[in-house]
Amino acid sequence: MFATMEAVRVEELHLASDPQTGLQAIVAIHNTHLGPALGGCRYLAYPDVDSAVRDAARLARGMSYKAALAGLALGGGKAVIIRPPQPSSREALFEAFGRFVDKLGGRYITAVDSGTSGVDMDCIARHTAHVTSTTAGGDPSPHTALGVLAGIRATAKARLGSDKLDGLCIAVQGLGHVGFALAGHLAEAGARLIVSDIDEGRLEQAVEHFGAQPVVADALLTMPCDILAPCGLGGVINPQTIGKLRCAAVAGAANNQLDSPEMGDELAARGILYAPDYVINSGGLIFVALQHQGCSHEEITAHLAHIDSRLTEIYDEALVERRSPARVADSLAERLIYGS
Ligand code: NAD
């Protein structure tokens, strides 16, 4: 366990067990240098406790990097509730988790993640104030989409010389909560859209509403376009796909777009500008974090401009240092988090 903590520089691990509700939970607090650790709560089955700890620790680090580059006074954390084979009461389980989070005294703020919903956060909120993304808060996806739009403009400016999207060809992979809203903003800005989704219904809607050109799912990556916006799966930039890309830049919402850090170097070597995923998709985090701090709608929307300026800073540094934007983003985050 200590080896896992040291490998990703996690400061604290907290374990909770409540036999009455079946709760077995782990909270990983990566770093609190910039503020309390905020990060989602997963509710998933794991093969063993070690893999649950590794998941929480790795994801907590990711949240520190994301919060730091989003200009938030927050550190990174993550919680994992190990899904029992036969859960009794889900409500009671999340209420027990709420009591556990409260005992941490605000060092960790929880939120929705894989396998949890706003309703689960409502159960947690009965026992602690250190929770965000409850049903009252609303869906963060529209803010993620607005942040990605701002990031696409910054990327177009850096790679193509202008932030005007009018007439640009943009390929959007995945038309879910974020991708569909993003496609709407892009169409409104005058971009020509190529879209794919494994869900036929979503694809038809994008054709109907935005005049988008539909493409069979995997073929989208190889279509000639100005900007490729992965908004579905992670790992889309991998050794099998990278040589087939025909875009000037990759800028989308999906988490973990690079199969490995080397893929970021390879994109840079091929002249494809990459918007580091955790920077461009931080609009949702900005929304839930500032909402928790009691900020107004206007303040939250204004903070999204951070995404544009942060990406521009990363692209400028990448150019000067001849490193990939992905590596520059990591170094910048580490300077903010560790002060080195
Ligand atoms: P979602 O589940 O609503 O949408 C994903 C879409 O991708 C679905 O419509 C799905 O059918 C489609 N898809 C899956 N496989 C595909 C494939 N092979 N080709 C084309 N389409 C495919 O998810 P979302 O909330 O819109 O999030 C999209 C991505 O952005 C995810 O990687 C998510 O982790 C990331 N993200 C989301 C948010 C947010 O606020 N929702 C914030 C940060 C990051």
Side-chain angles (χ1 to χ4, degrees), residues 141 144 173-174 176-178 196-198 202 217 231-233 253-255 281:
S141 306
T144 305
Q173 183 189 45
H177 288 92
V178 180
S196 78
D197 199 296
I198 48 172
R202 289 177 189 275
C231 296
L233 307 169
N255 278 317
N281 73 14

Side-chain angles (χ1 to χ4, degrees), residues 62-149:
M63 291 308 297
S64 281
Y65 283 44
K66 190 167 184 163
L69 291 193
L72 296 167
L74 287 171
K78 208 77 173 185
V80 161
I81 299 179
I82 300 174
R83 199 171 70 217
Q86 272 151 355
S88 44
S89 160
R90 184 169 177 128
E91 196 175 333
L93 187 91
F94 279 92
E95 287 207 22
F97 181 67
R99 289 190 287 273
F100 169 45
V101 169
D102 201 55
K103 281 186 197 153
L104 299 176
R107 295 178 58 66
Y108 168 66
I109 303 161
T110 199
V112 165
D113 207 298
S114 303
T116 55
S117 68
V119 174
D120 299 324
M121 298 305 118
D122 291 350
C123 296
I124 295 170
R126 286 179 205 141
H127 299 278
T128 185
H130 310 302
V131 55
T132 179
S133 61
T134 56
T135 52
D139 181 9
S141 306
H143 286 81
T144 305
L146 280 173
V148 175
L149 176 72

